Amino acid sequence: MKLLLLSLSLICIASAVHKKPTGRIVDCDSPEANDAALTALHYINANHHHGYKFVLNQVEDIHVLPETANGEVFYVELDLLESKCPWVSPTPAENCPVRPRAEQAVEGDCKVKLQKQNGNFTVIGVSCKSKPDSAENVFRACPTCWLLAPLNDTQVAHAVDVALADFNNGNNTVYFKLHEIGRAQIQGPANNKVQVEFIFVATNCSKEQALDSCVALTGDDAQYGSCVGSVTQLPGAQDEELDVQCAVYEPQQPQVDPSIPLVPAQPSVVHGHFHHNLRHSSLGPHSSESNSAEKHLAFHSKSAIKRSLGGKHAGPNVLVRPLCPGKKIFF
Ligand SMILES: *[C@@H]1O[C@H](CO)[C@@H](O)[C@H](O)[C@H]1NC(C)=O
Ligand SMILES: *[C@@H]1O[C@H](CO)[C@@H](O)[C@H](O)[C@H]1NC(C)=O
Ligand SMILES: *[C@@H]1O[C@H](CO)[C@@H](O)[C@H](O)[C@H]1NC(C)=O
Ligand SMILES: *[C@@H]1O[C@H](CO)[C@@H](O)[C@H](O)[C@H]1NC(C)=O
């Protein structure tokens, strides 16, 4: 018994020295890491009700705690990239094309805590932030490209109005209202071309009734669509050249997932932002746990301890790290 107590206290000292116990070593490019990352990505996209769906670019780091009766806890750090699918699009993120670097893609950085039980992952907490790629990187990829413009710019608002009015003049019977401007670029030596992407929403009015009092349909009747277009002011002319492509999505059944709060259709307010920050989205009740996720991940790279096959701890000088970060999938 004494011997047992002694060895237990030795283990305690060992864990105290290494602060956080380490479970299995899981490499960032392993199928298991990919499984955890895709579960996290699905959760993040389902809870991000602005801008665009994100796609996975890289698993940066993984730390697994020792198994308990409740399974294992994973701390995973992910690099995400903006896709071309607006968040209202029914296309699953896996099938969404990534935003090319030349368009100043937004990059997301997420720390996720998951539980693995009977082979299934569940997200417990998420903390994300996002920012557009640097001007340096954009111009390296495309020296003649244009950076993102503020979403509340007056030229941007004008281009969106013109494009949406054009769409409303088409064959639809319903009057569609602007829901959210997703991104914008102002191009040309004389700032004469404005490129915009936006989401619109069906209202309770017909096209003929189009009025300010028309309100967005919600619940089962909610219907969204999106447009990508440009408005060009021709030199020396009053006329504008319009080039716009829009799609109306089928009304979607809300996600049947009680852990995901449903967010009512409300226009997003933008104050000089260039993109829709992932940090501002509602990522569930557990995002405050992110601090511990951060600590785990920050500590993790120094903490992995090799275990020999006999189950004994190897000397503290023998550090085995998982193969991390994983490969970048896109750029
Ligand atoms: C794990 O997922 C599978 C397939 O989705 C499901 O059949 C099973 O019940 C799940 N197990 C647990 C413990 O949730
Ligand atoms: C609108 O309707 C006309 C006549 O039915 C048709 O020729 C045209 O292709 C339609 N336009 C669109 C954008 O569906
Ligand atoms: C749409 O709904 C608003 C708010 O309920 C109402 O004021 C308006 O009259 C409705 N418009 C039509 C055409 O039903
Ligand atoms: C856009 O928002 C910023 C920050 O709130 C503000 O300073 C700027 O005046 C706004 N621009 C326009 C055109 O409203």
Side-chain angles (χ1 to χ4, degrees), residues 203-206 209 211 213-215:
T203 67
N204 63 339
C205 298
S206 70
Q209 292 170 312
L211 289 170
S213 67
C214 301
V215 297

mmCIF file of all heavy atoms in Angstrom, residues 203-206 209 211 213-215, ligand 3:
data_model
loop_
_atom_site.group_PDB
_atom_site.id
_atom_site.type_symbol
_atom_site.label_atom_id
_atom_site.label_comp_id
_atom_site.label_asym_id
_atom_site.label_seq_id
_atom_site.Cartn_x
_atom_site.Cartn_y
_atom_site.Cartn_z
ATOM 1 N N THR A 203 -39.481 39.385 -48.872
ATOM 2 C CA THR A 203 -40.350 40.129 -47.952
ATOM 3 C C THR A 203 -41.790 39.651 -48.093
ATOM 4 O O THR A 203 -42.095 38.806 -48.949
ATOM 5 C CB THR A 203 -40.313 41.636 -48.249
ATOM 6 O OG1 THR A 203 -40.914 41.842 -49.521
ATOM 7 C CG2 THR A 203 -38.893 42.173 -48.240
ATOM 8 N N ASN A 204 -42.660 40.241 -47.289
ATOM 9 C CA ASN A 204 -44.093 39.909 -47.354
ATOM 10 C C ASN A 204 -44.794 40.688 -48.460
ATOM 11 O O ASN A 204 -46.011 40.665 -48.543
ATOM 12 C CB ASN A 204 -44.760 40.167 -45.997
ATOM 13 C CG ASN A 204 -44.706 41.631 -45.588
ATOM 14 O OD1 ASN A 204 -43.865 42.374 -46.086
ATOM 15 N ND2 ASN A 204 -45.589 42.049 -44.689
ATOM 16 N N CYS A 205 -44.038 41.390 -49.314
ATOM 17 C CA CYS A 205 -44.656 42.202 -50.380
ATOM 18 C C CYS A 205 -44.395 41.596 -51.749
ATOM 19 O O CYS A 205 -43.398 40.915 -51.961
ATOM 20 C CB CYS A 205 -44.056 43.608 -50.386
ATOM 21 S SG CYS A 205 -44.355 44.506 -48.859
ATOM 22 N N SER A 206 -45.305 41.898 -52.659
ATOM 23 C CA SER A 206 -45.032 41.563 -54.053
ATOM 24 C C SER A 206 -44.181 42.692 -54.633
ATOM 25 O O SER A 206 -44.038 43.752 -54.030
ATOM 26 C CB SER A 206 -46.339 41.441 -54.828
ATOM 27 O OG SER A 206 -46.908 42.734 -54.954
ATOM 28 N N GLN A 209 -45.756 46.017 -54.767
ATOM 29 C CA GLN A 209 -46.022 46.664 -53.480
ATOM 30 C C GLN A 209 -44.763 47.243 -52.845
ATOM 31 O O GLN A 209 -44.860 47.823 -51.768
ATOM 32 C CB GLN A 209 -46.608 45.641 -52.488
ATOM 33 C CG GLN A 209 -47.994 45.159 -52.838
ATOM 34 C CD GLN A 209 -48.380 43.982 -51.959
ATOM 35 O OE1 GLN A 209 -47.610 43.047 -51.788
ATOM 36 N NE2 GLN A 209 -49.564 44.032 -51.382
ATOM 37 N N LEU A 211 -42.256 48.581 -50.778
ATOM 38 C CA LEU A 211 -42.328 49.738 -49.889
ATOM 39 C C LEU A 211 -41.363 49.536 -48.727
ATOM 40 O O LEU A 211 -40.941 48.416 -48.452
ATOM 41 C CB LEU A 211 -43.736 49.872 -49.287
ATOM 42 C CG LEU A 211 -44.879 50.299 -50.192
ATOM 43 C CD1 LEU A 211 -46.199 50.122 -49.468
ATOM 44 C CD2 LEU A 211 -44.686 51.750 -50.624
ATOM 45 N N SER A 213 -42.254 49.594 -45.747
ATOM 46 C CA SER A 213 -42.946 48.839 -44.706
ATOM 47 C C SER A 213 -42.875 47.327 -44.913
ATOM 48 O O SER A 213 -43.293 46.569 -44.046
ATOM 49 C CB SER A 213 -44.411 49.278 -44.632
ATOM 50 O OG SER A 213 -45.077 48.903 -45.816
ATOM 51 N N CYS A 214 -42.384 46.889 -46.051
ATOM 52 C CA CYS A 214 -42.274 45.449 -46.310
ATOM 53 C C CYS A 214 -41.227 44.860 -45.370
ATOM 54 O O CYS A 214 -40.164 45.433 -45.182
ATOM 55 C CB CYS A 214 -41.834 45.194 -47.752
ATOM 56 S SG CYS A 214 -42.965 45.903 -48.962
ATOM 57 N N VAL A 215 -41.567 43.727 -44.781
ATOM 58 C CA VAL A 215 -40.625 43.125 -43.828
ATOM 59 C C VAL A 215 -40.183 41.738 -44.313
ATOM 60 O O VAL A 215 -40.895 41.065 -45.056
ATOM 61 C CB VAL A 215 -41.240 43.005 -42.405
ATOM 62 C CG1 VAL A 215 -41.566 44.373 -41.841
ATOM 63 C CG2 VAL A 215 -42.482 42.118 -42.424
HETATM 64 C C1 LIG B 3 -45.808 43.408 -44.316
HETATM 65 O O1 LIG B 3 -45.686 43.345 -42.894
HETATM 66 C C2 LIG B 3 -45.642 44.617 -42.263
HETATM 67 C C3 LIG B 3 -45.380 44.393 -40.782
HETATM 68 O O2 LIG B 3 -46.220 43.382 -40.291
HETATM 69 C C4 LIG B 3 -46.944 45.356 -42.515
HETATM 70 O O3 LIG B 3 -46.887 46.661 -41.937
HETATM 71 C C5 LIG B 3 -47.143 45.494 -44.006
HETATM 72 O O4 LIG B 3 -48.378 46.071 -44.278
HETATM 73 C C6 LIG B 3 -47.082 44.105 -44.675
HETATM 74 N N1 LIG B 3 -47.187 44.292 -46.126
HETATM 75 C C7 LIG B 3 -47.987 43.551 -46.893
HETATM 76 C C8 LIG B 3 -48.024 43.881 -48.324
HETATM 77 O O5 LIG B 3 -48.637 42.633 -46.428
#
